[in-house]
Short mmCIF file of all heavy atoms in Angstrom, two decimals:
data_model
loop_
_atom_site.label_atom_id
_atom_site.label_comp_id
_atom_site.label_asym_id
_atom_site.label_seq_id
_atom_site.Cartn_x
_atom_site.Cartn_y
_atom_site.Cartn_z
N TYR A 7 -61.97 26.64 -63.27
CA TYR A 7 -61.36 26.28 -64.53
C TYR A 7 -61.55 27.34 -65.59
O TYR A 7 -61.16 27.19 -66.72
CB TYR A 7 -61.87 24.92 -65.02
CG TYR A 7 -61.28 23.78 -64.22
CD1 TYR A 7 -61.88 22.54 -64.22
CD2 TYR A 7 -60.14 23.94 -63.44
CE1 TYR A 7 -61.38 21.50 -63.48
CE2 TYR A 7 -59.62 22.90 -62.70
CZ TYR A 7 -60.24 21.69 -62.71
OH TYR A 7 -59.73 20.66 -62.00
N GLU A 19 -65.31 22.04 -79.00
CA GLU A 19 -65.89 21.51 -80.23
C GLU A 19 -64.82 20.71 -80.95
O GLU A 19 -63.84 21.27 -81.44
CB GLU A 19 -66.30 22.71 -81.10
CG GLU A 19 -67.47 22.49 -82.00
CD GLU A 19 -67.78 23.79 -82.72
OE1 GLU A 19 -67.13 24.06 -83.73
OE2 GLU A 19 -68.62 24.54 -82.21
N LEU A 20 -64.98 19.41 -80.99
CA LEU A 20 -63.93 18.60 -81.58
C LEU A 20 -64.01 18.64 -83.08
O LEU A 20 -65.05 18.38 -83.66
CB LEU A 20 -64.06 17.16 -81.09
CG LEU A 20 -63.84 17.02 -79.58
CD1 LEU A 20 -64.09 15.59 -79.15
CD2 LEU A 20 -62.43 17.44 -79.20
N LYS A 32 -52.68 31.06 -89.00
CA LYS A 32 -51.92 30.92 -90.24
C LYS A 32 -52.02 29.48 -90.74
O LYS A 32 -52.15 28.55 -89.97
CB LYS A 32 -50.47 31.31 -90.03
CG LYS A 32 -49.65 30.40 -89.13
CD LYS A 32 -48.19 30.81 -89.24
CE LYS A 32 -47.35 30.34 -88.09
NZ LYS A 32 -47.38 28.96 -87.76
N ARG A 43 -43.84 19.60 -104.83
CA ARG A 43 -43.17 18.32 -104.66
C ARG A 43 -42.10 18.17 -105.71
O ARG A 43 -42.11 18.82 -106.73
CB ARG A 43 -44.16 17.17 -104.77
CG ARG A 43 -45.01 17.00 -103.53
CD ARG A 43 -45.91 15.79 -103.63
NE ARG A 43 -46.89 15.94 -104.68
CZ ARG A 43 -47.06 15.06 -105.65
NH1 ARG A 43 -46.32 13.99 -105.71
NH2 ARG A 43 -47.98 15.24 -106.57
N VAL A 85 -29.82 22.60 -74.42
CA VAL A 85 -29.27 21.28 -74.12
C VAL A 85 -30.36 20.38 -73.56
O VAL A 85 -31.11 20.77 -72.67
CB VAL A 85 -28.11 21.41 -73.11
CG1 VAL A 85 -27.67 20.02 -72.66
CG2 VAL A 85 -26.96 22.16 -73.71
N ASP A 107 -22.28 15.81 -97.08
CA ASP A 107 -20.97 15.88 -97.71
C ASP A 107 -19.91 15.82 -96.64
O ASP A 107 -19.63 16.82 -95.99
CB ASP A 107 -20.89 17.22 -98.48
CG ASP A 107 -19.57 17.38 -99.19
OD1 ASP A 107 -18.69 16.51 -98.99
OD2 ASP A 107 -19.43 18.33 -99.95
N PHE A 146 -19.68 -2.96 -116.09
CA PHE A 146 -20.54 -4.13 -116.26
C PHE A 146 -20.65 -4.62 -117.69
O PHE A 146 -21.39 -5.55 -117.98
CB PHE A 146 -21.95 -3.82 -115.74
CG PHE A 146 -22.04 -3.70 -114.24
CD1 PHE A 146 -22.06 -2.45 -113.64
CD2 PHE A 146 -22.08 -4.82 -113.44
CE1 PHE A 146 -22.14 -2.32 -112.27
CE2 PHE A 146 -22.15 -4.71 -112.05
CZ PHE A 146 -22.19 -3.45 -111.47
N TYR A 159 -34.55 5.62 -121.53
CA TYR A 159 -33.40 5.11 -122.30
C TYR A 159 -33.89 4.25 -123.46
O TYR A 159 -34.47 3.19 -123.27
CB TYR A 159 -32.46 4.32 -121.39
CG TYR A 159 -31.71 5.23 -120.44
CD1 TYR A 159 -32.25 5.56 -119.19
CD2 TYR A 159 -30.50 5.81 -120.81
CE1 TYR A 159 -31.58 6.42 -118.34
CE2 TYR A 159 -29.83 6.66 -119.96
CZ TYR A 159 -30.37 6.97 -118.74
OH TYR A 159 -29.71 7.83 -117.90
N PRO A 166 -30.54 2.33 -116.34
CA PRO A 166 -29.97 2.61 -115.02
C PRO A 166 -31.00 3.26 -114.11
O PRO A 166 -31.63 4.26 -114.49
CB PRO A 166 -28.84 3.60 -115.35
CG PRO A 166 -29.27 4.29 -116.60
CD PRO A 166 -30.23 3.39 -117.32
N LEU A 177 -35.58 6.71 -112.38
CA LEU A 177 -34.73 6.56 -113.56
C LEU A 177 -33.58 7.55 -113.46
O LEU A 177 -33.79 8.73 -113.16
CB LEU A 177 -35.54 6.84 -114.82
CG LEU A 177 -34.82 6.53 -116.14
CD1 LEU A 177 -34.61 5.03 -116.27
CD2 LEU A 177 -35.60 7.07 -117.31
N VAL A 178 -32.36 7.08 -113.73
CA VAL A 178 -31.20 7.97 -113.66
C VAL A 178 -31.29 8.97 -114.80
O VAL A 178 -31.46 8.58 -115.96
CB VAL A 178 -29.89 7.15 -113.78
CG1 VAL A 178 -28.71 8.08 -114.00
CG2 VAL A 178 -29.70 6.31 -112.54
N TRP A 183 -27.95 16.92 -111.94
CA TRP A 183 -26.90 16.04 -111.44
C TRP A 183 -26.67 16.20 -109.95
O TRP A 183 -26.59 15.23 -109.21
CB TRP A 183 -25.60 16.33 -112.21
CG TRP A 183 -24.41 15.59 -111.65
CD1 TRP A 183 -23.39 16.14 -110.93
CD2 TRP A 183 -24.14 14.20 -111.73
NE1 TRP A 183 -22.48 15.17 -110.57
CE2 TRP A 183 -22.93 13.95 -111.04
CE3 TRP A 183 -24.79 13.11 -112.31
CZ2 TRP A 183 -22.35 12.69 -110.93
CZ3 TRP A 183 -24.22 11.85 -112.19
CH2 TRP A 183 -23.02 11.64 -111.50
N LYS A 197 -32.50 -4.88 -116.31
CA LYS A 197 -32.30 -5.54 -117.60
C LYS A 197 -33.59 -6.20 -118.03
O LYS A 197 -34.42 -6.59 -117.22
CB LYS A 197 -31.23 -6.62 -117.38
CG LYS A 197 -30.78 -7.29 -118.65
CD LYS A 197 -29.78 -8.38 -118.33
CE LYS A 197 -29.77 -9.37 -119.48
NZ LYS A 197 -28.83 -10.42 -119.35
N ALA A 201 -36.75 -3.18 -118.09
CA ALA A 201 -36.05 -2.01 -118.63
C ALA A 201 -36.73 -1.52 -119.88
O ALA A 201 -36.90 -0.32 -120.09
CB ALA A 201 -34.60 -2.39 -118.92
#
Side-chain angles (χ1 to χ4, degrees):
Chain A
Y7 286 161
E19 210 177 83
L20 296 175
K32 68 170 160 53
R43 283 184 295 126
V85 172
D107 181 353
F146 289 100
Y159 288 90
L177 188 68
V178 169
W183 173 254
K197 187 183 157 177

